[in-house]
Amino acid sequence: MLFPIQTTTRTLIDLSGTWDFLLPEKGQVVDPNKKLPNSITMAVPASFNDQITESKLRDYAGDIWYEKNLLIPQTLEDQRLVLRFGSVSHTAKVYFNGKLIVEHIGGFTPFEIELDKALMQENNDLKVCVSSILDSSTLPNAVHIKNEKEEKVLPLFDFFNYSGIHRPVKLYSTPQTYIEDIIVKYNVEGKSTIIEPEVSITGDYKELELELFDEEDALLLQTTSGQMTLENTRFWAPLDAYLYKLKVKVKDEQGKTIDTYTEEFGIRTFKVENDQFLINGKPFYFQGFGKHEDFPVLGKGMNEAAYNYDFNLMKWMGANSLRTAHYPYAEEFMRMADRAGIVVIDEVPGVGLFSRFNPDVTKNQGAAGNTWEIVKSFDNHKKVIQELIERDKNHACVVMWAVGNEPAAHQDGAREYFEPLINLARELDWNDRPVIIPNIVNATPDTDLLADLVDVICLNRYYGWYIDHGDLDAAKVHLKEEIEKWREKYPDKPIMFTEFGVDTIQGLRSIHDIPYTEEYQVNFFKAQFEVIDQLPYFIGEHIWNFADFETLPFIRRIDGNKKGVFTRERKPKMIAHSLKDRWTSTDYFGMK
Ligand code: GCB
């Protein structure tokens, strides 16, 4: 699915702004044919949760309604009109003038629908019924409790279950013959690159023309044969992005352009080889973060200014990469990552696949028993892998797919569940990106059932926090022991940290190694680096987390998860400066 852009043949209308909103009373039935009764104002895109003040509604589980009046310019009468949602968390039912026109499950991937002209009126009513419910069939995976007394979602994951229309809603037009999709396939041989895009077109046309432009918009190549050879390729590289533009033109008998679309793309190679991750043939060391889409007031709402600041903070520190924990981020974010030269591990929302997981160890909230007998998310998992790869296939920044996070990889059935999904990701991706699944500490080198299926062993480890809390000497010993066991078992696979970190309260200081202080966070990372810096097969360090983020409140989560290097408002903790020193003092950016 193409990202919606304005071109000389396409009009783009952004429906961001204020919408009418209703959080129904218990038992209230909403009639999609009538205006929402007693609606309030809600901004789109954004989560609804932190735009309202009623505490009991903040983590409301159930259906919520959005409504917008949609006027369609007459000038677009002859065009196809497509309504596109960047994401709606988690299930969306879209009504156009009272009629259900599309339904989508999954809160982090786009979907669209061509509007039926027969339904159009002068004043069109657009309603979206959004469900915030997650359960054992959805991703993220959760426990859904519904009885006479209450309805709630118990997350089997450690972030707030924000809900709403999180990404832009756009109406775009295309001609009746239109470019449906473009896969910018290419093959690098030395300095030259054969570019052979796969273009899907619906409708009648005579000819397909391709034009290649450089960053200064100078036309480099032009063809109607479907293939171009670019000499002296300027490669996209970490923190040194270079993007070409591929302009696709569909022409009619008279040589007139019927439809056109321009896709920016970068050219790079990568490979996991001899314990290394090579980008453009050079060893790449992942230094950066696991992140979240999480901002005050916006919740998980798309905001390009906030993204821009995060990318600039990452570059300020010398970070070269990130993981989109624990779900696909907005397309606007991915486009900025391409532009910033930030390498991305792209993750599906395959989180919560551990039935008894609870960041609050005082509670066991999931069902007891084997996860793989409880979860029913396989079909949705397949679907979201397809949707993500289809969406992000052309991004130069994406170099690995994470098809899950911390599943119960040690319980029988994990392999039967994940092997087909890993194979699916490999089959679908033209670019053969490596596939990973960040591992949870419970799945040890002896009990884990998945590591031989993935390309890089990715560890989420908290020695010095959940284990050896406050004892960094013991943490170092245990961390080293564990990594060496993984190495012994899988001598051909590189290893990296996809998570490690400690909760830290900004302003809490001590001369002693006291957990939660800024000094402890600095010393924790110093200790971890002492271990991993000795290991030649260790290919990266992704700190958990870039910034503090919202969670449900409980004894270990006071005002959210505080493992950020920055606060939720993006103020640096002491560790930001130590990491900046480490990451900017390497020989050259990104290379250890
Ligand atoms: C993890 C999870 C992450 C949590 C983190 C923590 O292993 O992958 O979602 O937020 O630990 O802080 O406990």
Side-chain angles (χ1 to χ4, degrees), residues 158 326 405-406 460 462 466 499 544 549 557 561 563:
D158 182 31
H326 291 304
N405 178 67
E406 298 195 344
N460 294 356
Y462 292 89
Y466 297 118
E499 284 180 24
W544 192 254
F549 58 90
R557 295 284 181 271
N561 186 311
K563 295 194 184 69

Side-chain angles (χ1 to χ4, degrees), residues 287 314-319 522 529 541 565 574-587 589:
Q287 50 194 37
M314 281 186 267
K315 290 203 276 189
W316 169 78
M317 294 182 71
V522 169
F529 296 147
E541 54 201 49
V565 164
M574 215 157 97
I575 185 64
H577 300 281
S578 338
L579 284 173
K580 176 172 163 52
D581 287 348
R582 174 177 169 87
W583 288 347
T584 54
S585 65
T586 41
D587 293 347
F589 274 146

Side-chain angles (χ1 to χ4, degrees), residues 108-138:
F108 304 95
T109 36
F111 59 95
E112 61 180 29
I113 180 81
E114 183 177 342
L115 290 181
D116 179 352
K117 293 265 162 73
L119 294 175
M120 275 182 213
Q121 300 169 5
E122 199 177 322
N123 254 321
N124 297 288
D125 181 72
L126 179 62
K127 280 197 188 67
V128 188
C129 174
V130 181
S131 168
S132 62
I133 302 291
L134 292 171
D135 61 24
S136 63
S137 75
T138 61

